[in-house]
Amino acid sequence: MSTAHTIRTPDQRLRIFVSSTLKELAPERRTTRAAIERLHLAPVMFELGARPHPPRELYRAYLDQSDVFVGLYWERYGWVAPDESVSGLEDEYNLCPPELPRLLYIKGPAENREPRLTELLDRIRDDDRAAFKYFETAEELGALVESDLATLLAERFDQSRNLSPLTSPPSTAPVLEAVRVPVPLTELIGRDRDLATIRRMLESGTRLVTLTGPGGIGKSRLAIASARAASPAFADGAVFVDLSAVHDPARVPNSIAQALGVRDTGEAPIIDKVVTALGDRGVLLVLDNFEQVLDAAPILTTLLAAAPGLAVLVTSRSLLRVGGEQSYEVGPLAEASSVALFVERAHAVKPDFEITSENAGAVAAVCAAVDGVPLAIELAAARIRVLSPAALLDRLDRRLSLLVGGSRDLPQRQQTLRSTIEWSTQLLDDREKRLLARLGVFEGGFTLEAAEFVGGDGDPAAGDVLAELSVLVDNSLVSQHDTADRPRFSMLSVVREYAIEQLETIGELDRVRDAHARYFIHLGDRVELELEGDRQREWVKRLGDERDNLRAAERFLLDGRDWDRAAHLAWALFVYWWVDGLLSEVRDWMEKPLASGDQLSDLTRATALYFTCAITFWKDPDGQVVAGLSESAELFQREGEKSGEALALISLALALLAAPEPDTERADDAMERSLGLFRESNDHWGESMALVMLGRVALLRQKVQGALNRFEESLALTRRGGDSLGEAIAVHHLGWAWLLLGHVPEAAADFTQCVIQSASLGHVEGVAYGLEGLVAVAAVSGQVERAGRLTGAARVLRERSGLYNAPAFTFHESYVDQLAASGAREALDAAIAAGRELTVDEAVAEALAPPAPPTQPEPPAQPEPPAEEQAGDPV
């Protein structure tokens, strides 16, 4: 779906970039911010930005992420920085992406307007992309901004409604979105020659390039810039895989799959799914921090051999030493570039810092003292707020001469970097040092709330963590990244390594990791019910940000044979694992306590059996899955866990129905018991799932009207609770019931709603099911082109997302076969091929568009779906 037709939900608020001079229009900025927030939009303003970034790079990055540009102008043109030709005010207008709506407001009277601002306003008036108005008071401005933004949103919404007469368009979350290369907030300095060489290598056909060099030398930053420069040469762009939180080489395929949007549902090796998903696509895969998983290098040669359009760019402190590898060593910055980097980073903490004849020598000497290593330069520059360059050089020289001597087992530049980190921490007080060490246990970043808990040893009220964290940010030891509604923090891998070493040295590593695990266990308990209600979308996204931390917590608990807490955390986040396609990984975790030989508590064994059996309910040749799920239900019952018992009974029913000889009577009994248990425990989410399964059993027995009633009951429950996932499941099943009853328009409406709900949640499986339902609708309506295109789109979506098991439990293919048999084979095949070229957003847009008139004069009769194919996955 094109971005012009996207209306986002409140949890994905539109961002309004506000440009103006700061001091003279301070009251107007406050009024504008209030007007934006009254519309539940997100103001993007300089004073709300992240401190560690230079102002120009900050507003450049924020403009790229904004949706509307609002400009406020009065008398001042603004400060023109050295070596710049325009002020930040004009620069912001110049950098505004051309597709952004521009709402401009000019304050009067303005008797002392500066000439350069007059010139800018004259140019703005001639810009047909901009709408401008005049105002005199802050209150008048607030009313104008609120009214104009509301009108603009209404216009955009009216345009988007033209997509479909059935319903308004979905507010889509990324459905099969790959992890694209990050957009840096700072300029890449001193790497022009490196960048040109690497880009030339990638564009000329070199398929495996490894950037080598010590930590902190700038490999990741250079790889990001190279990938962004070379990505136009690859039809499907560049995909970024951060391996900093991966410690087991066997998990590398999972990380690649996750970055590509491939779900690990457990029924086939994940590497096979990745190969299928890549196919003949043209993709540049960027693998960052490979040095800790070097044993996984052969996986890359496997992928390169299987996917001819694939190229791989790797960063590593060591060579991979596999066939076809071309290495490129990333060296230190030259003196001029080192000084330029120092000055840019110094501006982040002291905006008025400049090179003068008095300090130039000291700055150059500081850069030489740290061997031109970019991270070391940044750490040194962070101290320029309180130290002059000469004082900085004096302290740095004395400290490094002492520290380097203790690191002689490391390469020279690695000694320099580690010593610079050590020097930086020596300037912290004891509480700040302690916090830095404790933050090392986080993987993939962390929130302020998490830092307060872990930094306070499990007591979020202990100490002023916010103040201490601010010091670490100011000193470039921790980075801050603003998200839509909350700040997030991270540490570079080399700093994190240093922090972990400090914990090991004082013997606190396990204690702090336990606090980390306790925080995420508490988080899981807190959001368990939220994941089943109207905050489901918000929490799925937020937990996605914590994915690496959740894995780290589980790894710590499993390594310590803390089976009870490991199972508890897995169970609390069941809905998240499901929606995010991670149930196969959870299954691997839960196999460990079962295989340990330890005596397990009933609740832990019940949970482990559920996760290890439920995910493969359709593969049970020896009856082990049915036996395991039966035992799980019994153990949950023994512990008085009604919801757990009921959920195990649902999966047991699925396994019974998916057997070569379905046991419908026992499955029916299990479902009735499950429904009763969910109702007894007031678990509406579980009750809605049980109702769906009972409806499936009714379909299996050809009692379609009874199934319809069950599905409608389920839908009512999910809508009452605000459960988007449950609603998608219910309307999908309703669609099939209506279609089997011959009510094609009702079926089309429900399948469309399934697509909308699933797309808004980012639930790939639900989108695929909805598309396949609409295939059947198109087929019975004789719409050959539409049926074929949606079939192709659904097939490629399943291939690229790794959802292979599901087609065995749907029956839209029988409708396609009937359509082909009616004489439309050639046209259908051509349409399927065309549908395979659609992106997910394009497929969703096509599914919601009004269908074309039938191309088949006499639609084929509706096939009777085979009974065994009606009893599959409830999604």
Side-chain angles (χ1 to χ4, degrees):
M1 186 181 300
S2 65
T3 54
H5 290 146
T6 298
I7 299 292
R8 284 173 280 189
T9 50
D11 60 321
Q12 298 169 288
R13 296 182 299 164
L14 293 175
R15 298 182 179 92
I16 313 300
F17 185 93
V18 180
S19 171
S20 77
T21 50
L22 299 181
K23 292 184 179 179
E24 71 160 348
L25 290 173
E28 286 78 5
R29 290 177 71 84
R30 289 193 294 270
T31 303
T32 299
R33 178 180 178 182
I36 293 168
E37 291 176 338
R38 280 196 297 274
L39 292 171
H40 299 285
L41 308 177
V44 177
M45 309 176 76
F46 184 85
E47 60 267 34
L48 304 179
R51 289 164 299 172
H53 308 299
R56 185 178 187 186
E57 298 304 327
L58 181 69
Y59 66 68
R60 185 194 302 270
Y62 277 4
L63 271 167
D64 287 340
Q65 301 172 61
S66 296
D67 303 283
V68 179
F69 180 94
V70 170
L72 313 178
Y73 308 98
W74 189 17
E75 294 185 329
R76 300 287 174 260
Y77 173 72
W79 179 64
V80 179
D83 301 322
E84 298 290 343
S85 59
V86 298
S87 69
L89 185 72
E90 182 168 0
D91 205 21
E92 288 174 350
Y93 186 83
N94 293 341
L95 292 171
C96 178
E99 69 274 8
L100 255 62
R102 304 180 185 203
L103 303 178
L104 312 177
Y105 303 91
I106 304 171
K107 184 175 181 177
E111 298 176 357
N112 299 308
R113 182 168 290 153
E114 294 177 352
R116 294 203 63 179
L117 179 57
T118 299
E119 294 174 8
L120 173 61
L121 293 179
D122 289 342
R123 180 161 65 89
I124 286 174
R125 292 186 185 97
D126 293 333
D127 189 344
D128 58 9
R129 299 170 298 177
F132 61 89
K133 293 182 178 180
Y134 296 90
F135 71 96
E136 293 188 3
T137 67
E139 293 73 18
E140 181 185 0
L141 172 66
L144 286 171
V145 170
E146 186 170 0
S147 175
D148 291 346
L149 285 174
T151 301
L152 177 66
L153 295 179
E155 290 172 350
R156 293 298 188 271
F157 184 76
D158 283 342
Q159 293 168 11
S160 69
R161 283 196 302 190
N162 294 330
L163 275 175
S164 171
L166 293 173
T167 181
S168 59
S171 305
T172 54
V175 178
L176 191 56
E177 186 72 14
V179 179
R180 295 302 177 189
V181 177
V183 179
L185 287 174
T186 56
E187 182 182 357
L188 181 65
I189 293 175
R191 297 295 189 189
D192 292 350
R193 182 176 299 176
D194 299 311
L195 182 61
T197 302
I198 297 165
R199 179 178 181 177
R200 189 162 52 248
M201 293 171 72
L202 293 169
E203 291 180 346
S204 65
T206 304
R207 299 185 62 206
L208 176 57
V209 178
T210 303
L211 307 187
T212 61
I217 201 68
K219 301 184 298 295
S220 298
R221 186 66 180 80
L222 179 58
I224 288 170
S226 301
R228 292 184 66 82
S231 61
F234 296 85
D236 291 279
V239 176
F240 187 78
V241 185
D242 182 3
L243 296 173
S244 61
V246 181
H247 305 276
D248 181 359
R251 304 307 299 182
V252 170
N254 301 74
S255 298
I256 295 173
Q258 185 176 298
L260 289 168
V262 176
R263 267 54 174 180
D264 184 8
T265 49
E267 81 291 344
I270 191 62
I271 190 67
D272 293 348
K273 291 189 174 190
V274 171
V275 167
T276 301
L278 287 171
D280 57 359
R281 297 164 70 188
V283 176
L284 173 60
L285 199 60
V286 184
L287 300 171
D288 195 27
N289 296 293
F290 207 90
E291 60 273 352
Q292 59 193 21
V293 288
L294 285 174
D295 288 346
I299 292 169
L300 303 186
T301 58
T302 298
L303 294 179
L304 288 165
L310 175 68
V312 180
L313 177 61
V314 178
T315 72
S316 175
R317 297 179 199 174
S318 304
L319 287 171
L320 276 56
R321 303 194 184 283
V322 294
E325 179 183 29
Q326 295 289 315
S327 65
Y328 186 89
E329 183 174 359
V330 181
L333 294 175
E335 180 180 332
S337 297
S338 295
V339 171
L341 177 62
F342 183 98
V343 172
E344 188 203 55
R345 298 302 187 261
H347 282 161
V349 295
K350 190 176 174 61
D352 60 348
F353 176 79
E354 296 299 338
I355 292 290
T356 66
S357 56
E358 289 79 15
N359 66 24
V363 170
V366 166
C367 295
V370 296
D371 288 341
V373 176
L375 177 57
I377 292 171
E378 294 186 28
L379 292 172
R383 285 292 168 182
I384 206 66
R385 176 163 32 192
V386 293
L387 295 173
S388 69
L392 176 63
L393 176 63
D394 180 59
R395 287 172 176 257
L396 189 62
D397 267 345
R398 284 189 285 114
R399 193 63 196 171
L400 291 186
S401 63
L402 294 174
L403 294 173
V404 169
S407 309
R408 299 193 184 278
D409 58 328
L410 296 174
Q412 176 60 40
R413 290 197 181 96
Q414 193 71 2
Q415 290 182 41
T416 300
L417 176 61
R418 299 300 295 276
S419 300
T420 308
I421 295 173
E422 176 74 12
W423 169 77
S424 297
T425 63
Q426 295 302 315
L427 301 174
L428 306 175
D429 67 27
D430 289 343
R431 292 171 303 172
E432 293 155 0
K433 291 179 187 176
R434 178 177 179 272
L435 179 62
L436 178 67
R438 285 177 164 266
L439 295 179
V441 299
F442 286 104
E443 298 192 1
F446 53 91
T447 62
L448 175 60
E449 178 190 66
E452 288 176 329
F453 188 96
V454 174
D457 196 20
D459 179 6
D464 190 355
V465 171
L466 177 58
E468 296 158 15
L469 182 59
S470 297
V471 173
L472 300 182
V473 171
D474 288 344
N475 285 280
S476 296
L477 293 163
V478 172
S479 299
Q480 178 183 337
H481 316 278
D482 289 345
T483 60
D485 54 355
R486 66 186 56 81
R488 192 166 178 84
F489 304 88
S490 64
M491 301 168 71
L492 288 173
S493 58
V494 289
V495 178
R496 184 173 174 274
E497 288 170 9
Y498 173 83
I500 291 291
E501 286 177 6
Q502 303 314 298
L503 289 178
E504 289 176 326
T505 299
I506 60 177
E508 283 202 357
L509 181 56
D510 283 349
R511 179 181 168 190
V512 179
R513 280 185 168 153
D514 186 78
H516 174 272
R518 278 187 284 128
Y519 171 78
F520 287 101
I521 290 171
H522 294 331
L523 179 65
D525 290 342
R526 195 172 86 215
V527 308
E528 182 175 6
L529 294 181
E530 301 271 20
L531 284 166
E532 300 173 3
D534 57 8
R535 296 186 67 191
Q536 187 179 78
R537 299 177 192 178
E538 173 191 347
W539 277 112
V540 166
K541 180 181 182 300
R542 288 178 63 177
L543 289 169
D545 292 338
E546 303 294 355
R547 189 183 294 119
D548 289 330
N549 279 313
L550 293 170
R551 286 169 169 153
E554 278 288 351
R555 188 169 62 246
F556 169 74
L557 296 171
L558 294 170
D559 289 347
R561 305 176 84 86
D562 192 341
W563 311 127
D564 289 345
R565 288 199 296 167
H568 180 90
L569 177 57
W571 188 256
L573 297 179
F574 170 76
V575 175
Y576 166 67
W577 308 128
W578 180 10
V579 174
D580 216 27
L582 297 171
L583 283 176
S584 178
E585 197 165 338
V586 181
R587 179 196 61 189
D588 293 345
W589 295 339
M590 292 297 98
E591 284 177 345
K592 294 183 184 301
L594 293 176
S596 68
D598 294 348
Q599 182 68 37
L600 303 179
S601 69
D602 285 350
L603 194 55
T604 293
R605 183 169 176 79
T607 302
L609 282 170
Y610 176 81
F611 278 119
T612 54
C613 294
I615 194 172
T616 52
F617 68 86
W618 69 94
K619 290 183 176 181
D620 191 21
D622 53 6
Q624 292 300 307
V625 169
V626 167
L629 291 170
S630 298
E631 183 183 354
S632 177
E634 291 167 3
L635 291 170
F636 276 125
Q637 181 185 45
R638 188 183 303 171
E639 287 294 306
E641 290 287 339
K642 293 181 179 179
S643 290
E645 179 188 358
L647 195 57
L649 288 171
I650 286 182
S651 294
L652 175 60
L654 282 169
L656 291 167
L657 292 171
E661 297 182 5
D663 189 341
T664 57
E665 184 175 348
R666 187 180 171 193
D668 198 9
D669 177 65
M671 290 313 309
E672 290 290 357
R673 287 166 52 206
S674 173
L675 181 60
L677 288 166
F678 280 131
R679 285 174 171 167
E680 287 176 24
S681 56
N682 203 33
D683 186 338
H684 298 308
W685 180 85
E687 183 182 352
S688 69
M689 295 298 100
L691 285 166
V692 166
M693 278 310 305
L694 283 168
R696 276 188 170 265
V697 173
L699 283 181
L700 187 62
R701 293 177 171 174
Q702 308 300 317
K703 296 179 180 179
V704 181
Q705 186 60 51
L708 182 74
N709 295 338
R710 293 294 197 182
F711 300 148
E712 286 180 332
E713 286 183 73
S714 176
L715 180 59
L717 278 173
T718 60
R719 284 181 171 167
R720 192 181 311 149
D723 174 11
S724 299
L725 175 62
E727 182 175 350
I729 293 169
V731 295
H732 166 250
H733 287 85
L734 264 175
W736 283 113
W738 283 124
L739 193 61
L740 293 172
L741 289 170
H743 295 273
V744 178
E746 289 84 353
D750 281 333
F751 289 136
T752 299
Q753 189 62 27
C754 175
V755 172
I756 289 172
Q757 289 296 116
S758 300
S760 69
L761 189 60
H763 186 44
V764 182
E765 200 166 9
V767 172
Y769 274 116
L771 292 176
E772 289 160 352
L774 289 170
V775 167
V777 168
V780 300
S781 303
Q783 296 157 354
V784 176
E785 175 74 10
R786 179 175 171 85
R789 287 174 66 85
L790 293 180
T791 296
R795 287 178 183 174
V796 80
L797 173 58
R798 288 198 180 278
E799 291 170 6
R800 293 188 178 182
S801 63
L803 297 169
Y804 302 149
N805 66 300
F809 301 108
T810 61
F811 40 89
H812 71 286
E813 290 288 359
S814 58
Y815 289 81
V816 176
D817 293 342
Q818 286 277 339
L819 190 61
S822 66
R825 168 65 68 185
E826 185 174 341
L828 185 64
D829 287 346
I832 290 173
R836 291 185 61 87
E837 299 300 317
L838 297 176
T839 66
V840 178
D841 283 349
E842 289 168 346
V844 171
E846 186 149 330
L848 302 185
T855 54
Q856 179 81 10
E858 296 182 4
Q862 295 186 40
E864 187 66 35
E868 66 271 14
E869 289 186 354
Q870 296 184 21
D873 190 341
V875 181

